[in-house]
Amino acid sequence: MDAVNPMHLTLTKKTHSCIRLEKDGRTLVVDPGGFSEQDAAVGADAILVTHEHPDHFDEGRLRAALDADPAAEIWTLRSVADRLAAAFPGRVHTVGNGDTFTAAGFDVQVHGELHAVIHPDIPRITNIGFLVDGSLFHPGDALTVPDHPVDTLMLPVMAPWNKISEVIDYVREVKPRRAIDIHDALLTDLARPIYDSQIGSLGGTDHGRLAPGDSTGL
């Protein structure tokens, strides 16, 4: 992994699918859910949420962040926005596939519409992914392929809705310069070397992972 370069985008991995991005003294947080740190969203200038599942969306964490900073704002899909918009008028923005916006100085494109299939008997919910500064893509709980080159792919490695062959094929299809693991809270230390080896050898790109709290420059 690259060393942190304060002149560029800095990625800090939080637990599970939550990440913090910093640039020019401003902070963007994606998916501060119930598996992430209690203060994962606090201090964010802008927050993005991919969907309503509790490991990605925790209402208490979001309210804490918005209460801590009256200027902080959220961009998300309707199912999440409807839970928060009344309490924070003008600060919760509903977005969907194809939308573009600027949040805290970060340029964001929205890609995708549906959560991956967990089981045919379980109705699919909405899910969006975020391409940040035309470079880093966080897909949420889907294997969405943006119609845009991706430099850094946040890779959901282990979930009830995927298997490793799908993860490898996803990396191959997106063709990022590098892939960094997310959605990994349920992946045990015993399994990590297997995932690292198979994704690294078969994915066709630089693959790595960060421990919660670790950072890298993008």
Side-chain angles (χ1 to χ4, degrees):
M1 308 297 286
D2 297 338
V4 173
N5 185 339
M7 299 301 292
H8 297 91
L9 196 66
T10 298
L11 162 70
T12 301
K13 173 74 165 62
K14 308 299 284 186
T15 300
H16 198 50
S17 283
C18 182
I19 61 172
R20 291 178 72 98
L21 299 172
E22 296 173 89
K23 181 184 70 172
D24 299 330
R26 306 194 76 185
T27 300
L28 175 73
V29 171
V30 185
D31 279 3
F35 291 174
S36 58
E37 293 76 5
Q38 192 67 40
D39 62 350
V42 174
D45 299 287
I47 303 166
L48 312 181
V49 180
T50 63
H51 66 289
E52 66 198 70
H53 281 163
D55 56 326
H56 296 256
F57 162 54
D58 181 87
E59 188 170 346
R61 284 166 170 76
L62 296 181
R63 286 178 176 271
L66 294 180
D67 286 338
D69 180 359
E73 299 179 69
I74 294 175
W75 283 260
T76 186
L77 38 64
R78 184 166 303 281
S79 59
V80 172
D82 285 349
R83 300 269 295 272
L84 296 163
F88 302 97
R91 300 171 63 190
V92 181
H93 311 280
T94 301
V95 294
N97 183 47
D99 288 340
T100 60
F101 58 92
T102 299
F106 297 84
D107 294 324
V108 184
Q109 300 175 14
V110 183
H111 296 268
E113 298 181 78
L114 290 172
H115 192 287
V117 175
I118 301 172
H119 187 276
D121 290 352
I122 300 175
R124 294 175 74 180
I125 63 169
T126 49
N127 177 96
I128 53 178
F130 298 105
L131 181 67
V132 180
D133 281 351
S135 173
L136 178 145
F137 185 60
H138 189 305
D141 275 6
L143 301 181
T144 302
V145 179
D147 57 354
H148 187 289
V150 173
D151 181 78
T152 301
L153 174 65
M154 305 312 300
L155 182 64
V157 292
M158 195 276 183
W161 48 267
N162 72 13
K163 56 185 179 180
I164 196 167
S165 63
E166 296 170 336
V167 173
I168 292 166
D169 287 345
Y170 181 51
V171 175
R172 289 178 172 182
E173 190 171 3
V174 176
K175 297 182 178 66
R177 182 176 65 85
R178 63 177 173 183
I180 299 174
D181 290 352
I182 54 169
H183 215 290
D184 55 356
L186 301 181
L187 187 63
T188 70
D189 289 341
L190 287 173
R192 285 187 183 276
I194 299 171
Y195 278 69
D196 290 344
S197 174
Q198 294 189 0
I199 297 170
S201 62
L202 297 173
T205 193
D206 176 34
H207 169 252
R209 53 188 169 89
L210 297 169
D214 285 353
S215 300
T216 186
L218 303 180

